[in-house]
Amino acid sequence: MASAIGDWGRFAKEQLKFTQSHKFFGAPLVTHVVSKNFEGKFRQDRVHTLCESPEKCGHLHFPGAFDCGSLESHECDSEFSRRNLQGALVAGYHATFGHVDDVGLARSIKEPQESRGFFFGRFAIEDPRSKKVFVDGALDGMINIGIVRRPLAKAVEECHHLGRWYGRVHAEVELAKDEKAFLTGILAFDVEYELTPSWMGTKFVGTLEGMLIRECLKKAN
């Protein structure tokens, strides 16, 4: 396990090196606002694991998806995004729920999926007719948390917010005429859980707020 965790740590540091050496700051760009809504449901088997050392800890693991047939433009969505970022969302992930029982909120948790968790996965959008993927990248985030909390102004959440997921997406976008763009964004979900002895189900409503970044082909004088 130490080796596996070490691999994730090295990945994080390599990602930092890349972003520090490929900065958008100071360069002419073309950018468009992205604002989407989506919803759906999913059901799959789940796995439980137990750790004895260095501390006792149980976890629930769930291979899920945020797939849905179409994306809905919200009021902030740009015209370019409305025309070019439409299709079926294909977003698979692996989620892990659970933590060491060392905080007061753990006493109120009755089921494993009510614990804080994390997820990593794929974010893709495909043409529903041709099934061609034209947006492809990664998503990751946190589960059952509240980040719009005190001391922020107009706080609406506590640090433990059951069913609230937050995440981020980074993806390559294939546009017309072989142009490639970069999508960066923030995801938020309200997720309802259904748990049985053999499987877990999720019903979700999601939002995506982000920007589509394109290369500038001709700088202004």
Side-chain angles (χ1 to χ4, degrees), residues 111-124:
E111 299 287 349
Q113 75 277 6
E114 297 177 0
S115 300
R116 178 170 292 197
F118 56 88
F119 64 96
F120 295 91
R122 182 193 187 195
F123 182 95

Side-chain angles (χ1 to χ4, degrees), residues 144-156:
N144 294 333
I145 65 165
I147 58 176
V148 188
R149 58 166 177 80
R150 298 184 305 274
L152 297 181
K154 298 183 180 179
V156 296

Side-chain angles (χ1 to χ4, degrees), residues 64-91:
F66 290 125
D67 295 355
C68 69
S70 62
L71 298 172
E72 175 189 352
S73 288
H74 195 60
E75 59 188 32
C76 290
D77 209 22
S78 64
E79 288 299 322
F80 189 88
S81 173
R82 292 172 189 265
R83 293 195 310 270
N84 292 277
L85 289 184
Q86 292 295 342
L89 178 62
V90 184

